[in-house]
Amino acid sequence: YSKGREVNAHDLNIHGEACGYAGVSAPFEAIWYDGAETTWTLNDLVDLLDPQARGGWNIEYAESMNDAGQITGGAKRDGQTAAFIVDLHDAANPFALLPTSLLIENSNGAAINNSGDVLVRATGGIVLFYSSDTQDYTLLGDGQAEGISNQDTNGNVIVAVSHDQSTTRFVVSGG
């Protein structure tokens, strides 16, 4: 795919699929590798599934993907950045922005688990947990979003957020 651009891989799932982005300066393009031989931009893939789905958003960064083929990262339009989920197996709704508010302006999906829960970074270093079950956020504080586990048998998820020299782990109820 590279079109002469630097390609950065960010995540890999159990099927050998990878996601990341291409470019060393804006505008970036989020990319997806199918695990066999083809690399696509997420913009092209979503447009192929539903040409109206993106609504003018440029999918720039693909930060994380799960084993179900859902990808999260950051999309940009009119100077605003928003966290998204691309679901390559949902032709009816292949692209969805996560809800925004004053607290969650300029957000970016940092990690996604197999349930579709997302660890989100927002303006000012705020880190949030987005539950796909409740479609709501839990504020985790400030720091660097590090990782998210799959739900355990009780529906709990462990997320890791680093602050300066330490890492805090939160147990968040997934449902």
Side-chain angles (χ1 to χ4, degrees):
Y1 161 77
S2 73
K3 296 182 185 176
R5 302 178 79 188
E6 182 176 309
V7 174
N8 299 282
H10 274 254
D11 205 0
L12 178 73
N13 69 15
I14 65 168
H15 307 292
E17 300 167 331
C19 69
Y21 67 93
V24 292
S25 62
F28 298 100
E29 290 184 284
I31 57 170
W32 172 76
Y33 170 70
D34 69 3
E37 60 186 48
T38 307
T39 302
W40 292 75
T41 72
L42 288 181
N43 290 317
D44 289 345
L45 273 175
V46 169
D47 290 350
L48 186 65
L49 295 170
D50 180 354
Q52 305 303 314
R54 286 189 302 120
W57 288 89
N58 179 42
I59 306 171
E60 289 196 337
Y61 299 100
E63 297 284 345
S64 180
M65 71 184 307
N66 63 23
D67 296 336
Q70 294 174 312
I71 301 168
T72 192
K76 192 171 228 174
R77 181 178 77 183
D78 301 328
Q80 292 288 99
T81 303
F84 68 83
I85 294 177
V86 165
D87 189 337
L88 301 176
H89 303 290
D90 185 356
N93 189 25
F95 175 77
L97 294 174
L98 296 185
T100 60
S101 71
L102 291 177
L103 178 67
I104 311 166
E105 284 187 324
N106 289 317
S107 61
N108 187 48
I112 188 168
N113 66 16
N114 287 340
S115 300
D117 303 320
V118 179
L119 193 55
V120 176
R121 288 186 297 257
T123 300
I126 295 170
V127 180
L128 305 111
F129 169 80
Y130 176 77
S131 169
S132 62
D133 290 338
T134 63
Q135 298 185 352
D136 203 4
Y137 290 95
T138 300
L139 177 63
L140 301 176
D142 64 342
Q144 179 65 33
E146 297 292 345
I148 187 169
S149 72
N150 289 316
Q151 288 186 6
D152 65 18
T153 55
N154 296 319
N156 295 320
V157 175
I158 299 172
V159 295
V161 179
S162 64
H163 312 269
D164 299 320
Q165 300 295 321
S166 64
T167 299
T168 303
R169 287 175 179 77
F170 296 90
V171 177
V172 183
S173 174

